[in-house]
Amino acid sequence: MPPELARHLRPRMERLGYLGEFFRCAAHQPRALLSFMAFTDDLKEALPDRLTELVALTVSGAMGNEYERVQHERLSLKLGFGEAWIREAEAVSPVGSGALALGLGLTEDERLVQRLVLVLVERKGHNTRVELEAVVRAIGAPHAVAVLLLAGRYVTHALMANALALAPPVASPLDPR
């Protein structure tokens, strides 16, 4: 692994206690991985933690990315969001099913963001004007653009993790033991 990449990965490895398989695989393209990490960090700075984690959990659920879901459950708990909030963020029912909002902890703005993210994935970004406009009204255009970019980031991660059949390196903190 190139020294610059190892230097950038060290804080993640120290925080998690391991280097995840995603980073080991993506390290075959070190410059792209560094850009991906910088992109992620920039978007995390652009949004409040709750919106960042909501997007991550919603996309991971919609895309079936267990690897990322478990990582963000752990991070959400560490940030103090609570199990009820996480479970609602993960309640990614098909759009229009009426089963989306459980009322356990998401704010109205968060529900609008979750709906936007779900339709972005389901409709491949097409015909999402109504949901996007609702999010812009709720959280403003700069945050709405960050949500769009972050959703794309987590879709990219899901495509790679799913293609490589990456399993979560640790158990879900929400799974019964």
Side-chain angles (χ1 to χ4, degrees):
M1 180 178 299
E4 181 184 6
L5 180 57
R7 187 174 64 255
H8 279 86
L9 288 173
R10 189 172 298 113
R12 266 185 182 78
M13 197 166 72
E14 289 170 356
R15 177 174 47 88
L16 296 172
Y18 58 86
L19 179 62
E21 189 69 15
F22 175 85
F23 290 104
R24 283 190 236 145
C25 293
H28 287 290
Q29 292 296 323
R31 288 180 49 210
L33 179 54
L34 284 168
S35 297
F36 187 77
M37 291 168 56
F39 183 66
T40 302
D41 292 344
D42 289 345
L43 291 169
K44 285 181 176 184
E45 287 181 23
L47 288 170
D49 288 341
R50 281 176 66 109
L51 289 182
T52 297
E53 292 310 303
L54 177 63
V55 171
L57 290 166
T58 301
V59 172
S60 66
M63 297 287 296
N65 183 358
E66 296 300 300
Y67 183 96
E68 194 80 320
R69 178 185 61 84
V70 170
Q71 296 304 315
H72 286 279
E73 287 175 350
R74 294 176 74 215
L75 181 54
S76 293
L77 287 172
K78 184 176 179 181
L79 292 170
F81 299 156
E83 185 175 332
W85 185 90
I86 295 167
R87 290 197 187 281
E88 189 168 353
E90 292 178 339
V92 290
S93 305
V95 174
S97 73
L100 178 61
L102 302 175
L104 298 173
L106 294 183
T107 66
E108 185 57 34
D109 289 354
E110 289 168 345
R111 284 190 187 96
L112 291 171
V113 168
Q114 184 183 49
R115 178 152 177 82
L116 172 61
V117 171
L118 288 170
V119 299
L120 286 169
V121 173
E122 180 183 89
R123 300 176 192 163
K124 300 177 179 77
H126 297 284
N127 303 314
T128 59
R129 182 182 56 80
V130 170
E131 294 83 4
L132 178 57
E133 287 175 354
V135 168
V136 168
R137 281 192 303 276
I139 65 173
H143 280 162
V145 169
V147 165
L148 293 172
L149 290 167
L150 194 62
R153 180 267 183 228
Y154 285 108
V155 167
T156 298
H157 185 287
L159 292 172
M160 185 169 163
N162 292 346
L164 296 172
L166 301 181
V170 296
S172 168
L174 305 184
D175 290 343
R177 305 208 192 282

